[in-house]
Amino acid sequence: MISGLGNPSLTAAVLLAAAALFTAIASAKLGSDRMLIWSRRLLYIFCAAIVLACADLMTALVNSDFHNAYVASYTERALPIGYKIAAFWAGQEGSLLLWALLLAGMSAVAAIGFRKRARTEQAAMLAVLAVVCGFFAALMLFAANPFVQLPVQAVDGHGLNPLLQDPYMIAHPPLLFVGYAGYTVPWAMMLAALIAGRSDNQWIGATRRWLMFSWLFLTVGIVLGAKWAYIELGWGGYWAWDPVENASLLPWLTGTALLHSVMVQQQRGMFKVWNAALIACTFLLCIFGTYLTRSGVVQSVHSFGESVIGTFFLVFLLVCILLSVGVGIARRRLLKGEQPLEDLMTKEGAFLALNVLLVLMTLTTLVGTVFPLISGVVLDEPVSVGAAFYNKAVIPLALVLLALMSAGPLLTYGKDAAKVLGRGLIVPGFAAIVAVTAAVNMGVTNPWALVCTAVAAVAVFAVAVALVKSVRQRGLIHDDESPLIAAARVIDGSHRRYGGQAIHMGMIMLMVGVAGSSLFSVSETFQLRAGESGTLGKYTLNFTDLNETRHANYTAVAAHVTLTGPDGAETTMHPQMRFYDKTEQPSAQVALRSSLGRDAYLTLAGWEEGGKLVAIQAIINPLVAWIWIGGIVMTAGAVFCLLPCLLPEPKPVTAMSHARPTASISLTLAGDGQCMSQTTRTHATLCQEART
Amino acid sequence: MTHTRTKLLIAAVVLTASVGYLALAGVKSGWVYYLQVDAFLEDDTYQDQRVRLYGLVDDQDIEARPAMLTARFKLNGESRSIQVAYLGVIPDTFKPGGEVMIEGKLDEAGVFQADVLMTKCASKYQSEEHAKRLEEAS
């Protein structure tokens, strides 16, 4: 029934997006509300058209309809159903369709959320969204059509790339695309606010949820991608600074900067140009990254055939840049800060430093990624800068950033910030000294490792000190509460603050994992005969034999290896080589024994003499597990930020009458999305200030 | 105000200088020419330094021994070719006729000694198979 609707749906989608654009412009020019309503409706219908196209492709994939070229290229009959579904985003065309679907859905949601805005602002946002939606629909229709029909139905499909047959790979691309598509909405909101001439800071508050939401998905996507690379690519690492990886990191860096600087604009009316530029850059980097990785301009391990897609993306990118810059210049008066920066040792100063550092990291990564292009033009022969470049240039910046982050909870706005910071740092500073001394006693001498230890200690204790302080202040008016309940209420009272700190803790865990695994990893390749053993560090591995097993769409050859750990515990591990029916080349399957302290990572490199002699690569990676735990903590923190208040606040019986004047002040400070208990907390702070 | 501005200026200068230094050091340590076989053989200046080469593995002249961690093969450029000896784990995707990237140095005997071998895998987003099918269809 649905079959055959794909192409007509795409054609309809292009027309609908164009119509939505024209009605939006017309409604602004003619001052017509009817046009505006129609523009919104057309966007909803666009969404429906894309859903229909997706349903068509999904049906073809699930039913193995090999008339469809895409289905024939990326699936086969014997493929498990989960991977048949995942093949939706395994190729160029399907992944663009998924992106379009997410974009259409989020545009519709944003349009609903914007219904009450002024006409010009609403019309401008709808127009911008329609342009982006239309671009993706047109791109598929003209350059990457997922509905190309084969003249003769293929007997069986070519199968899914073995590297993609992994649960993490099912989840990783869609999550990234949610992030990419999500960053379109704040960009549209920003352009709309500027075009409509809004001089207030309320619109930026509305972008915050979108920024947090997109950042959350981008983060999860990147971490899962790293996890996939770790267990599937078999070289023992999780991040190779490949252009494809960098493409997802670039918008993440600017998106992270944004989450912080937006707060300053909301509360102090500063950093307006920064925010506008960062919102635009984040969106543009999503598009640029896609252009870079899919056009074939940058040589990478992944080779991408040069395609027309690149030209489409480049033209679209230029249009978006011109639009952003044009609107920014035309409305430059709206982007002036409301007050000057008072001092560097304040919260706003720290946010500025953080922004600058993140932007510098973005620029350095960008330069490294396109270095072959630049040098190809300047020097004739392309020069590539490998991982060494990023490790030298980006990692030190990241460490400074993390140090700054660790002091974050102790910073306040305004003039007295330096004094407050100095007092607050006493306990964390002491903790850092203790931690570093302990590390040195345990035999750690690597300076980078010691720096990381100090940063981690300061970060953890700064969060603790700030929390204890808030709980104590709450105790001043709620002296009947137990400290635990008080702590729960303080945390629940400010999701954004404590969600943010959870994200910071996750980031610290991630840093510990990265530092441990990159500084102290050891590896060796053993050639073993049956019964022979090899030793690596405190581990011993013993090879028993090699055997073959048959699975749904592949045959696996697995080595039996007994691994003896430093504590004498034995584990049997089976590093495999898989031979998929539909691909000529074998695919190695890593055997992993993971613990909080270290991972043992074995790959079967090959064998001779009918399996009597094998080559096994063994890697001991310390602390890798903390990267994934950090990722989970960051995700939880971001989700917590987005959640509404969870605990009901007991009625503040005390001091209700004289609380009124302060309550009105604190409400304006609290801004949107904050819980009511913010009021009481600010009140408590004021009470304390009055006493001292 | 001017006080803050001076501080800002100093901070900016220090930061820019240190980032510039880091980037320069990074570029120096990571600087590797990325060449096609022909370009590498035509210019003597590349022949005593570490370079990254790309080309196609010869269909016939190839001997890979995964368990011994060695591979010998001929790497073809557009019109010229070079003998390569590789030592290390051989990637799954290494095959005759495939496109590879190697890193290493030329030895006295004129054999390129590589310690990095990466195959250009059919990417996530573009399979050769699919390109062929699309041509068929049109």
Side-chain angles (χ1 to χ4, degrees):
Chain A
M1 288 163 293
I2 297 172
S3 173
L5 284 182
N7 264 322
S9 306
L10 284 185
T11 317
V14 173
L15 298 173
L16 285 162
L21 173 65
F22 285 117
T23 42
I25 294 173
S27 83
K29 289 269 177 235
L30 308 173
S32 154
D33 283 329
R34 273 181 66 88
M35 283 289 191
L36 195 62
I37 293 169
W38 265 107
S39 175
R40 210 187 301 135
R41 281 185 192 155
L42 286 165
L43 207 59
Y44 300 155
I45 307 173
F46 171 88
C47 192
I50 296 291
V51 169
L52 215 56
C54 289
D56 186 6
L57 183 61
M58 193 51 98
T59 322
L61 283 166
V62 172
N63 295 335
S64 292
D65 173 9
F66 297 128
H67 278 298
N68 180 315
Y70 185 83
V71 177
S73 297
Y74 295 103
T75 64
E76 60 179 305
R77 281 187 209 285
L79 198 66
I81 182 76
Y83 291 123
K84 278 187 185 171
I85 295 171
F88 194 103
W89 47 86
Q92 175 92 280
E93 294 84 355
S95 62
L96 289 174
L97 183 57
L98 177 70
W99 189 333
L101 173 73
L102 295 165
L103 180 67
M106 286 191 239
S107 300
V109 172
I112 295 172
F114 246 55
R115 268 174 320 175
K116 302 274 155 59
R117 298 294 177 97
R119 192 190 304 120
T120 337
E121 194 183 1
Q122 216 182 126
M125 192 188 72
L126 288 171
V128 173
L129 289 176
V131 167
V132 185
C133 286
F135 164 73
F136 275 94
L139 179 67
M140 279 184 286
L141 195 59
F142 299 117
N145 193 317
F147 302 106
V148 173
Q149 298 290 307
L150 292 173
V152 188
Q153 179 176 16
V155 182
D156 195 3
H158 183 249
L160 185 63
N161 183 346
L163 285 176
L164 304 188
Q165 298 193 28
D166 177 287
Y168 288 105
M169 205 57 207
I170 295 184
H172 153 72
L175 291 168
L176 276 186
F177 291 139
V178 173
Y180 288 163
Y183 277 122
T184 312
V185 177
W187 183 63
M189 285 179 164
M190 182 223 19
L191 288 179
L194 289 183
I195 290 171
R198 288 186 67 160
S199 58
D200 60 317
N201 294 315
Q202 267 182 352
W203 67 269
I204 199 106
T207 64
R208 279 189 63 169
R209 292 199 152 250
W210 284 99
L211 292 172
M212 193 73 224
F213 172 83
S214 310
W215 184 89
L216 164 65
F217 279 91
L218 203 53
T219 308
V220 181
I222 292 173
V223 174
L224 285 185
K227 176 92 186 176
W228 167 76
Y230 185 60
I231 58 179
E232 200 64 33
L233 296 185
W235 59 283
Y238 38 82
W239 190 265
W241 295 104
D242 186 85
V244 177
E245 292 164 333
N246 291 352
S248 62
L249 184 68
L250 292 170
W252 186 88
L253 291 171
T254 51
T256 308
L258 257 177
L259 286 178
H260 297 87
S261 60
V262 158
M263 273 190 273
V264 184
Q265 178 167 355
Q266 243 190 324
Q267 309 212 339
R268 311 273 290 179
M270 298 158 74
F271 297 174
K272 290 186 179 181
V273 183
W274 262 117
N275 285 329
L278 280 175
I279 289 177
C281 283
T282 308
F283 168 71
L284 293 170
L285 283 171
C286 291
I287 301 294
F288 178 72
T290 315
Y291 160 68
L292 209 61
T293 51
R294 298 196 184 192
S295 63
V297 287
V298 169
Q299 293 284 348
S300 117
V301 194
H302 307 257
S303 81
F304 297 88
E306 284 178 34
S307 64
V308 260
I309 302 243
T311 324
F312 266 78
F313 266 101
L314 194 62
V315 171
F316 180 60
L317 187 68
L318 290 176
V319 170
C320 294
I321 292 175
L322 286 179
L323 188 61
S324 310
V325 173
V327 170
I329 290 176
R331 294 283 189 266
R332 61 188 175 280
R333 267 184 301 129
L334 296 176
L335 295 172
K336 276 209 183 100
E338 286 158 26
Q339 50 187 322
L341 189 66
E342 282 165 340
D343 197 352
L344 285 182
M345 298 300 279
T346 54
K347 204 167 183 174
E348 52 272 42
F351 280 170
L352 179 66
L354 165 147
N355 266 14
V356 171
L357 281 169
L358 279 167
V359 168
L360 284 174
M361 282 169 76
T362 313
L363 281 176
T364 323
T365 310
L366 189 64
V367 167
T369 313
V370 298
F371 206 80
L373 280 183
I374 306 172
S375 57
V377 174
V378 180
L379 298 166
D380 272 0
E381 291 299 341
V383 173
S384 76
V385 290
F389 166 75
Y390 300 98
N391 292 344
K392 279 228 167 102
V394 181
I395 299 290
L397 286 178
L399 269 180
V400 176
L401 190 70
L402 287 166
L404 190 67
M405 183 190 95
S406 66
L410 304 171
L411 285 164
T412 47
Y413 288 111
K415 276 184 183 153
D416 296 329
K419 248 191 281 169
V420 179
L421 175 67
R423 254 183 284 147
L425 270 178
I426 296 172
V427 177
F430 187 68
I433 294 170
V434 172
V436 169
T437 320
V440 170
N441 278 339
M442 278 162 64
V444 179
T445 49
N446 187 308
W448 291 112
L450 294 176
V451 170
C452 288
T453 312
V455 169
V458 171
V460 173
F461 279 85
V463 168
V465 164
L467 183 61
V468 167
K469 200 171 148 197
S470 301
V471 172
R472 275 209 194 132
Q473 278 174 1
R474 187 186 162 87
L476 293 177
I477 42 168
H478 297 273
D479 43 10
D480 52 333
E481 274 176 357
S482 81
L484 264 182
I485 292 180
R489 287 201 190 283
V490 163
I491 291 172
D492 191 46
S494 188
H495 278 222
R496 225 188 257 156
R497 179 181 174 88
Y498 293 101
Q501 289 183 2
I503 295 175
H504 286 179
M505 290 295 100
M507 199 68 224
I508 290 290
M509 292 174 189
L510 199 136
M511 173 198 77
V512 168
V514 170
S517 57
S518 46
L519 295 174
F520 303 111
S521 168
V522 282
S523 81
E524 201 174 325
T525 312
F526 299 98
Q527 284 161 293
L528 300 173
R529 291 183 177 279
E532 280 181 351
S533 304
T535 48
L536 177 61
K538 290 169 184 159
Y539 284 84
T540 312
L541 47 139
N542 183 291
F543 166 63
T544 336
D545 66 338
L546 201 67
N547 63 10
E548 196 178 293
T549 46
R550 174 67 206 167
H551 300 260
N553 57 341
Y554 64 91
T555 307
V557 175
H560 287 234
V561 179
T562 313
L563 184 82
T564 317
D567 50 354
E570 284 189 4
T571 341
T572 314
M573 297 175 73
H574 302 109
Q576 296 180 0
M577 194 77 93
R578 287 181 180 174
F579 296 87
Y580 284 84
D581 302 345
K582 291 292 156 66
T583 33
E584 298 144 34
Q585 73 236 11
S587 159
Q589 187 74 15
V590 173
L592 188 64
R593 200 190 83 174
S594 189
S595 69
L596 288 182
R598 56 187 62 76
D599 280 11
Y601 186 103
L602 303 185
T603 355
L604 180 59
W607 58 86
E608 283 198 358
E609 300 165 28
K612 293 201 182 74
L613 174 71
V614 294
I616 288 171
Q617 188 182 28
I619 304 173
I620 305 297
N621 265 338
L623 303 173
V624 170
W626 289 98
I627 298 175
W628 323 128
I629 297 172
I632 294 168
V633 172
M634 284 166 81
T635 310
V639 170
F640 189 73
C641 280
L642 289 166
L643 285 179
C645 222
L646 301 171
L647 301 172
E649 178 74 9
K651 267 185 197 163
V653 229
T654 50
M656 199 52 205
S657 55
H658 71 261
R660 218 162 263 156
T662 51
S664 66
I665 298 169
S666 54
L667 268 180
T668 51
L669 282 177
D672 74 306
Q674 291 287 50
C675 303
M676 269 311 285
S677 60
Q678 174 88 26
T679 316
T680 43
R681 200 159 56 92
T682 321
H683 172 234
T685 320
L686 290 172
C687 283
Q688 200 204 21
E689 275 166 11
R691 276 179 211 186
T692 47
Chain B
M1 190 51 227
T2 43
H3 188 55
T4 315
R5 200 163 270 180
T6 326
K7 270 204 256 178
L8 259 178
L9 207 70
I10 294 170
V13 169
V14 170
L15 201 63
T16 318
S18 44
V19 170
Y21 172 76
L22 285 174
L24 213 66
V27 166
K28 262 189 195 156
S29 64
W31 186 278
V32 184
Y33 279 100
Y34 190 62
L35 304 158
Q36 222 236 353
V37 177
D38 301 53
F40 172 70
L41 290 174
E42 272 156 25
D43 196 334
D44 285 347
T45 51
Y46 300 127
Q47 303 194 353
D48 50 355
Q49 58 175 311
R50 245 183 108 80
V51 293
R52 205 173 280 182
L53 291 184
Y54 62 95
L56 295 173
V57 179
D58 195 83
D59 282 339
Q60 310 295 325
D61 196 351
I62 171 172
E63 188 200 354
R65 301 187 66 189
M68 306 312 289
L69 306 170
T70 55
R72 297 184 157 273
F73 57 92
K74 194 159 88 179
L75 188 69
N76 294 328
E78 270 163 25
S79 57
R80 305 176 69 171
S81 56
I82 189 170
Q83 280 295 332
V84 180
Y86 167 71
L87 185 68
V89 175
I90 296 168
D92 309 332
T93 43
F94 181 71
K95 60 178 184 210
E99 201 180 354
V100 294
M101 192 205 80
I102 53 173
E103 199 178 308
K105 229 176 126 174
L106 203 66
D107 69 3
E108 285 91 16
V111 176
F112 193 87
Q113 299 289 338
D115 48 28
V116 176
L117 170 63
M118 281 196 259
T119 54
K120 293 207 155 190
C121 53
S123 99
K124 288 200 270 196
Y125 294 113
Q126 203 116 56
S127 81
E128 288 166 29
E129 192 67 21
H130 190 53
K132 266 185 246 156
R133 268 198 192 137
L134 289 180
E135 256 172 47
E136 256 172 60
S138 61

